[in-house]
Amino acid sequence: MFEAVSASTRWLLALGGKFLRVAPGPTLLTIPATLVSQVATLLAFLLPIKVLILVGSDGIPRYFANSFMQFDRDTLIVALSIATPAFYLLHLAMEQLVLKTSNIGAKRLLARSRKIVLFENQDDLAAASYRRYAEALANTVFIACVWLLLGFVFPLLCLLLVSYTLICIVGLGIAHKCSETLGNRIEESLSSLVAVLTSIGFMLAFLLLIQQFLVGAIQVFFIAIISLLLTRQTLNRTKRLVTAIVNLYSNRRKLNALFFTEHSLSQNDELQEEFWAMFSERARDSWLRELLTEHLAINPNRLNVNWHQTGVNDLVALEVLALDSSEKRLGRYLVRVYGKRPTLSATHEATLLLDESSEHLPAFPLLAAGQVGKWHCHIFSLTDKFAYVHPAQHTKSLLSSLWAFEPPADLAERYTRSHPMLWQRLDTSLIERLYMVAGEDNATIVRSLEEQLPDILFIIRSLPLTVVNPDININTLIQDDSGNLNVTYWGRWTLEPVGSDWPVGQRSLQELSELLQQASEIRPALREVDPQAVALSALLFKLDWLCTKQLYLDALKLIPELLKEVRDVLSDNQGDSPLNRE
């Protein structure tokens, strides 16, 4: 941690030097303006306390400053009451000045770097970082001034604050260095941790004040109140200072690319470098052994590791053969590590594959889900021999096997509560966009679709749900030596009405009935399903996909076939239309 503090300090000094060289005027103005704003805020909250004390007193209390004694009590109350909103207005004025000078300074820095636009909202990030840096410096000055002031009026409290701050810094540094787990937690939640520590610091300061009152060490009540308020403000500024530094340092790649001419926007950061360093030949054996021991209760003597291609960004997979001391096979596994944190796809995949019913899916058994350091990890059982196959050769048999899988009721209920279903995505906004594209020539078919929409939604909602995997490709579809198909990636699975993701070519729709019959032998709920309704689901899913990709002209060409399918379904089920029932 001390190395990280040293590195961040050097970077912050370099950033401040850049600000001063390129935009000295705005920088030198922003810092004192921020400090004035902070002091004005403090006074705006402090003066009402003095007013309340005066209102509750017969005269001016003796512990008030001597300069107040020359005024009449009522005059002083009026003056302080007027000063309170005046200081608050000063605070607002300084905040506006800081905002304007920050924008000016950031624009000068961006103009000096002479670079094209690097990412979205870069101007906002530059101005916010410029302002945050100035606020951090102003907070540093404020904290130092309060410490000096308390050193004169309340030395013991000053000693407590300085000692407590040093103890927290050293304690965090030691915890970070001695424990990797604690170190990771400190890095991930430093701002929230500092908030807790500052609250504890204020409690200690309050207890010290009470103790000093009880022993009679404090004679002036008003000084105690001021000291307590200054302590609170100091600890709040400390928390904001740390938060500002954490925010600035977390954006250092972008800020370096924006403000420093010699830097470009690199896609790699320290976290990615740490992630990829795990997979070097020297590093991976260690954590693989620990992972297998922890989750599978095996202790391999030797590991035979091969790379497994995933075709998914920030997802690394290793084929691991575990052998004991006598070279006897303990197991063969596919170990996948997700590089992004938090990994939504890893959690989503585990939700499906850890369910007992997943054994009926075309997927390798998921043996365990855990973590390797900061990253999610899944361990699958892997067959000895397999080959990558092209999905075009197996699309129909693979999708029919997905139809045969019946999602557990609890999983389906949780999913439908969390995600918009196909019948919810086909709404009036979609029709409005189709009207925009259709023009006068195709407006009639869009109108027909709009009129048939209630019937369409009724039909689709009545169909059973099935799992759809949009990531079936040549890198994720493999076949074992027994001819069984397995999909190795399920990070983006969805639940859709049966028929979704089925190819909509004329021949495919003709084959649909036979394959639906095959799936119904395993899943009885499909036996009463109308094949034409399934074909309609396939067409609607395709329509939704085309509109999502903004291929509206292609979507318009699909509508006539879709309307024909709707008419065929309704002609076979005259009593099932909600409009007919009305």
Side-chain angles (χ1 to χ4, degrees):
M1 183 175 181
F2 295 112
E3 293 81 1
V5 171
S6 177
S8 62
T9 301
R10 290 194 301 271
W11 179 77
L12 288 169
L13 291 175
L15 187 64
K18 185 72 173 181
F19 289 169
L20 285 172
R21 288 193 303 272
V22 177
T27 302
L28 294 175
L29 184 59
T30 299
I31 296 171
T34 304
L35 189 59
V36 171
S37 172
Q38 294 175 349
V39 174
T41 305
L42 177 62
L43 291 174
F45 285 99
L46 178 62
L47 291 181
I49 297 177
K50 288 192 173 186
V51 172
L52 290 176
I53 293 174
L54 286 171
V55 170
S57 305
D58 295 332
I60 299 177
R62 290 179 298 174
Y63 50 78
F64 269 46
N66 293 331
S67 56
F68 288 172
M69 298 301 178
Q70 57 185 323
F71 297 103
D72 178 67
R73 169 181 170 275
D74 293 340
T75 303
L76 190 57
I77 291 175
V78 172
L80 293 179
S81 299
I82 295 173
T84 297
F87 279 115
Y88 187 71
L89 290 175
L90 177 62
H91 156 70
L92 295 178
M94 289 298 102
E95 286 296 307
Q96 287 298 312
L97 179 61
V98 168
L99 180 62
K100 290 182 179 179
T101 54
S102 298
N103 290 333
I104 293 172
K107 288 179 180 178
R108 287 187 186 177
L109 287 160
L110 292 175
R112 178 66 64 89
S113 64
R114 300 176 65 183
K115 296 182 180 181
I116 63 173
V117 176
L118 300 176
F119 49 85
E120 293 287 342
N121 301 322
Q122 70 172 31
D123 291 349
D124 294 337
L125 176 64
S129 299
Y130 190 95
R131 185 165 58 253
R132 194 170 285 114
Y133 191 91
E135 182 182 359
L137 288 178
N139 282 329
T140 303
V141 174
F142 183 89
I143 293 169
C145 290
V146 170
W147 282 0
L148 288 174
L149 178 61
L150 290 177
F152 286 104
V153 300
F154 203 152
L156 193 58
L157 180 58
C158 177
L159 179 62
L160 173 67
L161 292 177
V162 175
S163 302
Y164 180 73
T165 302
L166 292 176
I167 290 172
C168 288
I169 293 173
V170 174
L172 289 176
I174 293 174
H176 185 278
K177 187 174 182 179
C178 295
S179 171
E180 182 179 354
T181 302
L182 287 177
N184 292 334
R185 291 186 178 180
I186 290 172
E187 291 179 7
E188 293 172 359
S189 56
L190 181 59
S191 297
S192 57
L193 181 59
V194 169
V196 174
L197 292 175
T198 53
S199 298
I200 294 174
F202 180 73
M203 181 186 67
L204 293 176
F206 176 75
L207 293 176
L208 176 65
L209 285 171
I210 297 299
Q211 186 270 337
Q212 292 293 295
F213 262 116
L214 293 177
V215 299
I218 297 179
Q219 302 296 329
V220 182
F221 174 71
F222 191 70
I223 290 180
I225 294 178
I226 296 297
S227 299
L228 191 62
L229 290 174
L230 287 175
T231 299
R232 186 61 176 170
Q233 288 295 320
T234 301
L235 293 171
N236 282 337
R237 303 301 176 192
T238 302
K239 179 175 64 177
R240 294 173 63 176
L241 173 62
V242 173
T243 301
I245 292 174
V246 169
N247 186 279
L248 287 168
Y249 197 66
S250 64
N251 288 311
R252 65 190 181 281
R253 277 194 317 117
K254 293 182 177 180
L255 296 179
N256 285 340
L258 285 175
F259 296 144
F260 294 96
T261 307
E262 64 275 13
H263 285 268
S264 59
L265 184 59
S266 172
Q267 298 301 317
N268 294 324
D269 55 20
E270 293 178 0
L271 194 61
Q272 282 186 309
E273 292 175 1
E274 183 181 348
F275 172 71
W276 285 102
M278 293 197 313
F279 301 101
S280 66
E281 291 188 12
R282 290 189 300 176
R284 65 192 183 194
D285 267 21
S286 175
W287 62 263
L288 279 172
R289 291 177 192 277
E290 293 179 5
L291 185 73
L292 296 177
T293 301
E294 178 183 357
H295 293 283
L296 303 184
I298 62 173
N299 188 18
N301 181 65
R302 186 171 69 87
L303 298 177
N304 188 356
V305 182
N306 292 311
W307 193 267
H308 183 95
Q309 184 162 288
T310 64
V312 180
N313 190 37
D314 288 320
L315 176 62
V316 173
L318 300 173
E319 299 170 14
V320 181
L321 176 62
L323 303 170
D324 64 12
S325 56
S326 59
E327 293 296 300
K328 183 180 178 181
R329 168 191 166 126
L330 296 174
R332 192 159 187 257
Y333 311 101
L334 179 65
V335 178
R336 289 218 314 257
V337 184
Y338 294 76
K340 289 185 177 179
R341 293 185 303 148
T343 310
L344 178 61
S345 58
T347 305
H348 195 52
E349 182 177 66
T351 300
L352 177 68
L353 298 185
L354 286 177
D355 193 278
E356 293 181 0
S357 62
S358 65
E359 61 180 347
H360 302 296
L361 283 171
F364 289 121
L366 177 58
L367 303 178
Q371 285 204 207
V372 177
K374 305 172 183 176
W375 297 277
H376 287 273
C377 176
H378 289 171
I379 307 174
F380 294 84
S381 177
L382 188 63
T383 57
D384 287 330
K385 296 180 180 180
F386 63 84
Y388 293 96
V389 292
H390 200 286
Q393 302 170 359
H394 305 276
T395 299
K396 295 179 178 63
S397 59
L398 182 62
L399 290 180
S400 65
S401 68
L402 289 176
W403 293 358
F405 171 74
E406 184 165 4
D410 177 64
L411 178 65
E413 183 180 4
R414 285 187 290 138
Y415 184 89
T416 54
R417 287 179 177 178
S418 309
H419 297 80
M421 303 304 293
L422 179 59
W423 55 83
Q424 295 169 322
R425 301 195 297 267
L426 299 172
D427 55 13
T428 55
S429 63
L430 175 65
I431 300 297
E432 290 174 0
R433 289 193 292 272
L434 289 173
Y435 271 125
M436 295 177 192
V437 178
E440 295 181 1
D441 297 336
N442 295 311
T444 303
I445 61 171
V446 178
R447 189 175 300 108
S448 299
L449 176 64
E450 184 178 17
E451 292 171 355
Q452 295 289 342
L453 194 58
D455 283 326
I456 292 172
L457 298 183
F458 175 78
I459 294 168
I460 296 302
R461 292 191 66 165
S462 66
L463 291 174
L465 295 178
T466 185
V467 174
V468 173
N469 187 343
D471 295 303
I472 300 176
N473 54 58
I474 197 171
N475 294 312
T476 61
L477 182 61
I478 62 179
Q479 189 175 38
D480 61 25
D481 53 356
S482 300
N484 298 317
L485 294 172
N486 289 283
V487 182
T488 60
Y489 181 64
W490 294 85
R492 297 195 300 149
W493 64 271
T494 60
L495 290 183
E496 303 288 354
V498 64
S500 300
D501 210 23
W502 184 262
V504 296
Q506 188 62 35
R507 181 181 176 185
S508 298
L509 292 178
Q510 292 173 354
E511 296 174 347
L512 185 149
S513 180
E514 177 184 350
L515 294 173
L516 183 63
Q517 179 64 30
Q518 294 178 6
S520 67
E521 295 177 1
I522 303 174
R523 185 180 180 184
L526 298 180
R527 292 173 184 171
E528 304 299 326
V529 173
D530 184 359
Q532 290 180 321
V534 178
L536 175 62
S537 174
L539 290 167
L540 284 170
F541 187 83
K542 182 68 173 180
L543 178 73
D544 177 62
W545 183 87
L546 290 171
C547 292
T548 301
K549 298 294 183 181
Q550 297 197 6
L551 299 173
Y552 292 110
L553 295 178
D554 293 337
L556 289 173
K557 295 177 183 178
L558 189 66
I559 292 177
E561 186 178 357
L562 192 153
L563 292 174
K564 177 180 178 301
E565 203 66 44
V566 174
R567 289 192 294 270
D568 291 343
V569 175
L570 293 179
S571 65
D572 292 341
N573 302 275
Q574 288 295 327
D576 289 342
S577 168
L579 298 183
N580 291 337
R581 289 202 308 270
E582 291 176 2

